[in-house]
Amino acid sequence: MVTRSHGRLTRRIRALAGFLALGGAWGAGASAREQDLPSGASLVAKHLAAIGGADLVRATTSLRATGVTELPAQNIRGTFEVLAGRPAKAILRLELGGIGKAESGYNGTVGWMLDPMVGPSIVTGPQLDEMRNDAHFDAVLHPPDLVKSITTIARVEFDGRPAFKTHVVFVSGQTRDQFFDAERGYLLGFSGDSQTPMGVVPTTVTLRDYKAFGAMTHPARLIQAAMGVEQHFIFETYEYNTLKPEVFDPPAIIRAIMKTDAAPAQPVEPWR
């Protein structure tokens, strides 16, 4: 039971961390099939225009978002905080009623998890590769160092909206399907395999209720679905360009593990 709960909590942390940069990750355009489909590059450009424009994205150096998280079927509610900074730094902190505090972070080199069920750990292997991709701050600008290609493959319906389905191939080899609103241009969601301590798990993320938070537009609700469990993240505040570099330093317990290559018998400082 602990292992399954840990895997679910890890996926919840990672799903939101994957969105925290400025709207998910997608990349350089590729030609659409021989159908009447827009190119991947044009869909990315339309999304950029809808959220505030490429120049505004480039002028942003960091962001902090806060809100409420819910697991409706389990009647669990809590709060979250997301921090993101250039070039690829990200932290997500959760506090869930009945479960406790959890954290996922990547400082550009080291990835870590603080899980109230199994304790602290350093992320390695494919999970670290995925965390690195997700933390890329300029993901919305589809830089070639992150994404190899994006191809429009079909016109579909996603979350009740007409959409274009695209297939994204990352430089790392990771792949993901992304769905863009055919009328409004917004990214409606994405799906793909997520790397977890339990193995590879299919995951779908839905983005709803886009609205202005200051100069930029973001979805006010993110819904993650994996293994039959849904978790909602309701965004309440966004702050831009306020974070200092040191906020992305790993916690003391993680620094201790890095030094000893093994978890100490007692935490260096409380993190729960």
Side-chain angles (χ1 to χ4, degrees):
M1 178 65 83
V2 171
T3 301
R4 172 172 286 187
S5 299
H6 169 56
R8 287 176 178 171
L9 183 58
T10 300
R11 288 193 304 278
R12 290 163 193 156
I13 293 173
R14 293 285 306 290
L16 187 54
F19 173 70
L20 55 81
L22 293 166
W26 46 88
S31 61
R33 287 181 175 180
E34 293 181 0
Q35 306 177 41
D36 186 17
L37 297 175
S39 68
S42 68
L43 293 174
V44 169
K46 190 173 181 180
H47 174 74
L48 272 171
I51 66 172
D55 289 343
L56 184 57
V57 173
R58 294 188 183 98
T60 304
T61 59
S62 69
L63 67 83
R64 175 179 179 266
T66 63
V68 174
T69 182
E70 302 173 340
L71 285 84
Q74 290 75 24
N75 196 29
I76 295 175
R77 186 178 174 89
T79 59
F80 70 88
E81 177 187 41
V82 177
L83 311 176
R86 293 185 178 278
K89 300 178 181 181
I91 295 177
L92 170 65
R93 298 188 176 108
L94 291 174
E95 185 166 2
L96 296 173
I99 296 177
K101 296 180 181 179
E103 179 176 313
S104 170
Y106 180 73
N107 72 345
T109 304
V110 179
W112 68 88
M113 298 284 298
L114 304 180
D115 191 309
M117 299 173 187
V118 299
S121 62
I122 294 178
V123 179
T124 60
Q127 293 179 63
L128 182 62
D129 292 338
E130 189 173 318
M131 182 177 281
R132 185 181 298 112
N133 287 345
D134 290 340
H136 200 302
F137 195 81
D138 277 338
V140 72
L141 297 177
H142 48 286
D145 65 322
L146 177 65
V147 177
K148 183 178 180 180
S149 66
I150 175 170
T151 306
T152 311
I153 57 177
R155 187 178 181 112
V156 298
E157 183 175 291
F158 185 89
D159 195 33
R161 294 288 304 166
F164 293 110
K165 179 180 180 179
T166 66
H167 185 68
V168 179
V169 179
F170 292 81
V171 172
S172 67
Q174 179 189 2
T175 63
R176 180 177 292 168
D177 291 334
Q178 296 181 336
F179 303 84
F180 293 87
D181 193 304
E183 298 171 353
R184 302 170 184 169
Y186 293 125
L187 178 68
L188 295 174
F190 48 91
S191 63
D193 291 337
S194 181
Q195 301 287 338
T196 79
M198 297 174 63
V200 177
V201 177
T203 303
T204 298
V205 172
T206 301
L207 309 175
R208 290 180 183 168
D209 306 331
Y210 275 85
K211 70 176 187 179
F213 290 89
M216 296 195 74
T217 298
H218 300 277
R221 183 179 294 262
L222 179 153
I223 304 170
Q224 184 205 357
M227 294 181 67
V229 177
E230 276 195 1
Q231 183 165 11
H232 293 229
F233 295 88
I234 301 95
F235 290 81
E236 297 178 338
T237 69
Y238 269 89
E239 301 172 6
Y240 308 100
N241 307 322
T242 62
L243 300 181
K244 296 181 179 180
E246 55 266 28
V247 304
F248 297 101
D249 291 344
I253 183 63
I254 296 298
R255 296 198 301 271
I257 296 173
M258 292 165 58
K259 288 180 180 179
T260 64
D261 200 31
Q266 298 295 328
V268 174
E269 66 180 26
W271 56 268
R272 289 181 172 83

